[in-house]
Amino acid sequence: MAIGQQCTSVPNIRDLSEALPTIKAGRVLRCSNPALASAADMRLLLEEFGIRELVDLRSTEELSEDKNSSLFESARLTRFSRSWWSGQTFSQDLTVSTSVVSTGNNGSSSSSSSSRGSSISGTSSSGSSSSGGSSTNGSSSNTSSSSSTSYTLGQSVSLVRTQVSLLERSRFYLALAYKLPVTRTVPALLLSGISRAWSRGILIKDVNDGGLRLLYEILLDSAMPEIAQVLELVLLALEGGRPIMFFCKAGKDRTGLVAALILTCCNASEEEIVTDYARSNAFKMVALAGIEKRPELAGLDKSRFEGSPPEAMEGALAYAKLRYGSLGQYMQKAGFTAEKQKRLGALLCESG
């Protein structure tokens, strides 16, 4: 039975193996925000699938919307941010106190907290701990290693959530300004001092006309270091034999692009990538990292950003091919080398 039929409280969840028969089931999951996973579904994810690492692609603004999440409260939180000086990502451990969740035989969950200070390490069943940093410059160590405690029903679980935001407001507008012709950006800039409504009116038409196609182009162009970091985390988890789950708000845009890149590493065809992406079309949600709520995007045609129509991913693939040569070459330019792509694909598809 597909995980989406079992895990009913986490929308848009599926195993990447459902997209490509050669992928080994249970190694990489994708979904929308799992913050409100039920106790039964937490048991499913943590026990049956052995998930120990979560990669959160949402913005910091979106994270602030999470309320009363047993799953997230049970995880150590690490954030990767970009250094504007070097252009590389660096990690920050944000956990001051961390909780461990224990699920009982009746499916109920309970949590306990322990104060760890500002530097937190994942604890293994033997009591050892590990931590580290990862960079997109080719050398990496496992920052998200919570060192896999073997989970059995009733035992505590060490869980790590790593935030790598692919879409932030400042990056979005910088990339948008770069993509639009100066005949649009200069008048908008000049009018902003007179009337923000007039200025917004100039740009919102381009945003609406571009829709998901424009959004995906902006993501590919503006989030290269972050995308490479996500791929590093997936590779490190696979090398350590730890199942991993990545997600954003709706599980279709940022998650869809990351899934397309991972599938590319597994030699998936464009048709297979588009088919997997289009499975999220039933989840009608606008998820622009909270930017859609800002006054400067008043007038946003939200219908242009809902769902996941096949042509949106087809456009992203065509853009990557036109600008970078292919998705594989895009990943290389981002810092995720051909060797790492091959390694990720081999680990994800190998049996055993």
Side-chain angles (χ1 to χ4, degrees), residues 100-132:
V100 290
V101 65
S102 179
T103 56
N105 288 314
N106 61 359
S108 62
S109 65
S110 61
S111 62
S112 60
S113 298
S114 60
S115 178
R116 299 280 190 93
S118 60
S119 178
I120 311 298
S121 299
T123 304
S124 70
S125 57
S126 63
S128 61
S129 64
S130 62
S131 64

mmCIF file of all heavy atoms in Angstrom, residues 100-132:
data_model
loop_
_atom_site.group_PDB
_atom_site.id
_atom_site.type_symbol
_atom_site.label_atom_id
_atom_site.label_comp_id
_atom_site.label_asym_id
_atom_site.label_seq_id
_atom_site.Cartn_x
_atom_site.Cartn_y
_atom_site.Cartn_z
ATOM 1 N N VAL A 100 12.205 14.592 22.883
ATOM 2 C CA VAL A 100 12.188 13.305 22.204
ATOM 3 C C VAL A 100 10.792 12.751 22.344
ATOM 4 O O VAL A 100 10.147 12.902 23.377
ATOM 5 C CB VAL A 100 13.218 12.314 22.789
ATOM 6 C CG1 VAL A 100 14.612 12.740 22.445
ATOM 7 C CG2 VAL A 100 13.050 12.161 24.292
ATOM 8 N N VAL A 101 10.293 12.176 21.282
ATOM 9 C CA VAL A 101 8.936 11.660 21.304
ATOM 10 C C VAL A 101 8.969 10.157 21.473
ATOM 11 O O VAL A 101 9.817 9.475 20.931
ATOM 12 C CB VAL A 101 8.176 12.038 20.018
ATOM 13 C CG1 VAL A 101 8.768 11.377 18.802
ATOM 14 C CG2 VAL A 101 6.696 11.666 20.149
ATOM 15 N N SER A 102 8.054 9.674 22.255
ATOM 16 C CA SER A 102 7.917 8.232 22.447
ATOM 17 C C SER A 102 6.478 7.874 22.149
ATOM 18 O O SER A 102 5.552 8.525 22.637
ATOM 19 C CB SER A 102 8.270 7.850 23.883
ATOM 20 O OG SER A 102 8.117 6.460 24.082
ATOM 21 N N THR A 103 6.270 6.879 21.306
ATOM 22 C CA THR A 103 4.921 6.486 20.963
ATOM 23 C C THR A 103 4.599 5.168 21.618
ATOM 24 O O THR A 103 5.386 4.239 21.604
ATOM 25 C CB THR A 103 4.759 6.354 19.439
ATOM 26 O OG1 THR A 103 5.735 5.442 18.951
ATOM 27 C CG2 THR A 103 4.924 7.685 18.769
ATOM 28 N N GLY A 104 3.426 5.120 22.172
ATOM 29 C CA GLY A 104 3.004 3.901 22.859
ATOM 30 C C GLY A 104 2.265 2.962 21.932
ATOM 31 O O GLY A 104 1.947 3.299 20.801
ATOM 32 N N ASN A 105 1.936 1.787 22.444
ATOM 33 C CA ASN A 105 1.287 0.786 21.616
ATOM 34 C C ASN A 105 -0.101 1.198 21.168
ATOM 35 O O ASN A 105 -0.627 0.667 20.204
ATOM 36 C CB ASN A 105 1.184 -0.543 22.390
ATOM 37 C CG ASN A 105 2.537 -1.216 22.545
ATOM 38 O OD1 ASN A 105 3.281 -1.313 21.576
ATOM 39 N ND2 ASN A 105 2.852 -1.665 23.748
ATOM 40 N N ASN A 106 -0.713 2.153 21.865
ATOM 41 C CA ASN A 106 -2.051 2.575 21.493
ATOM 42 C C ASN A 106 -2.030 3.705 20.476
ATOM 43 O O ASN A 106 -3.063 4.244 20.109
ATOM 44 C CB ASN A 106 -2.838 3.012 22.740
ATOM 45 C CG ASN A 106 -2.164 4.183 23.435
ATOM 46 O OD1 ASN A 106 -1.118 4.643 22.994
ATOM 47 N ND2 ASN A 106 -2.768 4.644 24.525
ATOM 48 N N GLY A 107 -0.832 4.104 20.032
ATOM 49 C CA GLY A 107 -0.739 5.146 19.007
ATOM 50 C C GLY A 107 -0.667 6.540 19.574
ATOM 51 O O GLY A 107 -0.526 7.495 18.842
ATOM 52 N N SER A 108 -0.804 6.683 20.898
ATOM 53 C CA SER A 108 -0.705 8.005 21.489
ATOM 54 C C SER A 108 0.754 8.397 21.595
ATOM 55 O O SER A 108 1.646 7.550 21.593
ATOM 56 C CB SER A 108 -1.351 8.008 22.880
ATOM 57 O OG SER A 108 -0.660 7.113 23.730
ATOM 58 N N SER A 109 1.021 9.689 21.686
ATOM 59 C CA SER A 109 2.404 10.134 21.765
ATOM 60 C C SER A 109 2.607 10.987 22.994
ATOM 61 O O SER A 109 1.703 11.658 23.469
ATOM 62 C CB SER A 109 2.778 10.940 20.513
ATOM 63 O OG SER A 109 2.038 12.124 20.464
ATOM 64 N N SER A 110 3.813 10.938 23.513
ATOM 65 C CA SER A 110 4.181 11.784 24.630
ATOM 66 C C SER A 110 5.570 12.302 24.363
ATOM 67 O O SER A 110 6.327 11.707 23.604
ATOM 68 C CB SER A 110 4.157 10.995 25.948
ATOM 69 O OG SER A 110 5.081 9.924 25.894
ATOM 70 N N SER A 111 5.919 13.429 24.960
ATOM 71 C CA SER A 111 7.244 13.982 24.714
ATOM 72 C C SER A 111 7.854 14.446 26.012
ATOM 73 O O SER A 111 7.162 14.801 26.959
ATOM 74 C CB SER A 111 7.161 15.164 23.723
ATOM 75 O OG SER A 111 6.388 16.195 24.263
ATOM 76 N N SER A 112 9.164 14.420 26.042
ATOM 77 C CA SER A 112 9.895 14.930 27.195
ATOM 78 C C SER A 112 10.977 15.843 26.684
ATOM 79 O O SER A 112 11.459 15.683 25.573
ATOM 80 C CB SER A 112 10.504 13.776 27.988
ATOM 81 O OG SER A 112 11.398 13.041 27.182
ATOM 82 N N SER A 113 11.343 16.852 27.473
ATOM 83 C CA SER A 113 12.314 17.846 27.034
ATOM 84 C C SER A 113 13.552 17.780 27.893
ATOM 85 O O SER A 113 13.490 17.459 29.084
ATOM 86 C CB SER A 113 11.723 19.258 27.124
ATOM 87 O OG SER A 113 10.605 19.369 26.275
ATOM 88 N N SER A 114 14.674 18.098 27.262
ATOM 89 C CA SER A 114 15.915 18.208 28.014
ATOM 90 C C SER A 114 16.678 19.396 27.510
ATOM 91 O O SER A 114 16.777 19.610 26.314
ATOM 92 C CB SER A 114 16.755 16.937 27.833
ATOM 93 O OG SER A 114 17.081 16.741 26.486
ATOM 94 N N SER A 115 17.176 20.210 28.430
ATOM 95 C CA SER A 115 17.921 21.388 28.028
ATOM 96 C C SER A 115 19.312 20.974 27.580
ATOM 97 O O SER A 115 20.008 20.260 28.272
ATOM 98 C CB SER A 115 18.016 22.363 29.204
ATOM 99 O OG SER A 115 18.767 23.484 28.835
ATOM 100 N N ARG A 116 19.711 21.428 26.358
ATOM 101 C CA ARG A 116 20.992 21.023 25.803
ATOM 102 C C ARG A 116 21.964 22.191 25.628
ATOM 103 O O ARG A 116 23.087 21.983 25.248
ATOM 104 C CB ARG A 116 20.768 20.375 24.428
ATOM 105 C CG ARG A 116 19.900 19.123 24.462
ATOM 106 C CD ARG A 116 20.675 17.910 24.908
ATOM 107 N NE ARG A 116 19.882 16.698 24.710
ATOM 108 C CZ ARG A 116 19.937 15.942 23.628
ATOM 109 N NH1 ARG A 116 20.725 16.267 22.631
ATOM 110 N NH2 ARG A 116 19.191 14.864 23.521
ATOM 111 N N GLY A 117 21.502 23.424 25.814
ATOM 112 C CA GLY A 117 22.367 24.557 25.554
ATOM 113 C C GLY A 117 22.348 24.926 24.089
ATOM 114 O O GLY A 117 21.503 24.482 23.331
ATOM 115 N N SER A 118 23.300 25.740 23.653
ATOM 116 C CA SER A 118 23.269 26.259 22.293
ATOM 117 C C SER A 118 23.893 25.329 21.279
ATOM 118 O O SER A 118 23.718 25.491 20.093
ATOM 119 C CB SER A 118 24.002 27.611 22.231
ATOM 120 O OG SER A 118 25.346 27.438 22.642
ATOM 121 N N SER A 119 24.647 24.343 21.705
ATOM 122 C CA SER A 119 25.254 23.398 20.785
ATOM 123 C C SER A 119 24.692 22.021 21.064
ATOM 124 O O SER A 119 24.939 21.439 22.108
ATOM 125 C CB SER A 119 26.780 23.372 20.958
ATOM 126 O OG SER A 119 27.368 22.425 20.100
ATOM 127 N N ILE A 120 23.886 21.527 20.129
ATOM 128 C CA ILE A 120 23.180 20.267 20.341
ATOM 129 C C ILE A 120 23.708 19.229 19.386
ATOM 130 O O ILE A 120 23.931 19.484 18.223
ATOM 131 C CB ILE A 120 21.669 20.449 20.094
ATOM 132 C CG1 ILE A 120 21.155 21.672 20.844
ATOM 133 C CG2 ILE A 120 20.899 19.220 20.481
ATOM 134 C CD1 ILE A 120 21.285 21.590 22.312
ATOM 135 N N SER A 121 23.913 18.024 19.868
ATOM 136 C CA SER A 121 24.321 16.918 19.022
ATOM 137 C C SER A 121 23.275 15.822 19.106
ATOM 138 O O SER A 121 22.637 15.643 20.130
ATOM 139 C CB SER A 121 25.680 16.359 19.467
ATOM 140 O OG SER A 121 26.677 17.336 19.374
ATOM 141 N N GLY A 122 23.100 15.085 18.010
ATOM 142 C CA GLY A 122 22.170 13.969 18.014
ATOM 143 C C GLY A 122 22.742 12.852 18.865
ATOM 144 O O GLY A 122 23.929 12.569 18.817
ATOM 145 N N THR A 123 21.882 12.209 19.624
ATOM 146 C CA THR A 123 22.337 11.167 20.528
ATOM 147 C C THR A 123 21.994 9.797 19.980
ATOM 148 O O THR A 123 20.875 9.549 19.578
ATOM 149 C CB THR A 123 21.668 11.340 21.901
ATOM 150 O OG1 THR A 123 21.949 12.653 22.349
ATOM 151 C CG2 THR A 123 22.197 10.334 22.893
ATOM 152 N N SER A 124 22.962 8.922 19.971
ATOM 153 C CA SER A 124 22.751 7.567 19.478
ATOM 154 C C SER A 124 22.390 6.661 20.627
ATOM 155 O O SER A 124 22.446 7.034 21.790
ATOM 156 C CB SER A 124 24.024 7.040 18.797
ATOM 157 O OG SER A 124 25.016 6.808 19.767
ATOM 158 N N SER A 125 22.031 5.419 20.294
ATOM 159 C CA SER A 125 21.621 4.485 21.337
ATOM 160 C C SER A 125 22.775 4.123 22.247
ATOM 161 O O SER A 125 22.568 3.660 23.355
ATOM 162 C CB SER A 125 21.051 3.217 20.680
ATOM 163 O OG SER A 125 22.010 2.655 19.803
ATOM 164 N N SER A 126 24.005 4.335 21.795
ATOM 165 C CA SER A 126 25.148 4.015 22.635
ATOM 166 C C SER A 126 25.573 5.187 23.497
ATOM 167 O O SER A 126 26.507 5.089 24.269
ATOM 168 C CB SER A 126 26.330 3.590 21.755
ATOM 169 O OG SER A 126 26.723 4.676 20.929
ATOM 170 N N GLY A 127 24.871 6.341 23.307
ATOM 171 C CA GLY A 127 25.170 7.512 24.116
ATOM 172 C C GLY A 127 26.171 8.428 23.472
ATOM 173 O O GLY A 127 26.511 9.459 24.023
ATOM 174 N N SER A 128 26.697 8.087 22.295
ATOM 175 C CA SER A 128 27.644 8.965 21.618
ATOM 176 C C SER A 128 26.896 10.036 20.880
ATOM 177 O O SER A 128 25.707 9.932 20.631
ATOM 178 C CB SER A 128 28.501 8.155 20.638
ATOM 179 O OG SER A 128 27.684 7.562 19.652
ATOM 180 N N SER A 129 27.592 11.106 20.497
ATOM 181 C CA SER A 129 26.941 12.177 19.757
ATOM 182 C C SER A 129 27.812 12.614 18.626
ATOM 183 O O SER A 129 29.011 12.400 18.623
ATOM 184 C CB SER A 129 26.643 13.371 20.687
ATOM 185 O OG SER A 129 27.859 13.916 21.153
ATOM 186 N N SER A 130 27.163 13.257 17.643
ATOM 187 C CA SER A 130 27.912 13.732 16.478
ATOM 188 C C SER A 130 27.294 14.999 15.968
ATOM 189 O O SER A 130 26.109 15.216 16.068
ATOM 190 C CB SER A 130 27.899 12.674 15.360
ATOM 191 O OG SER A 130 26.576 12.429 14.938
ATOM 192 N N SER A 131 28.119 15.855 15.405
ATOM 193 C CA SER A 131 27.643 17.067 14.762
ATOM 194 C C SER A 131 28.695 17.505 13.788
ATOM 195 O O SER A 131 29.807 17.041 13.794
ATOM 196 C CB SER A 131 27.368 18.184 15.789
ATOM 197 O OG SER A 131 28.565 18.545 16.424
ATOM 198 N N GLY A 132 28.333 18.442 12.908
ATOM 199 C CA GLY A 132 29.310 18.898 11.928
ATOM 200 C C GLY A 132 28.719 19.942 11.051
ATOM 201 O O GLY A 132 27.607 20.382 11.225
#
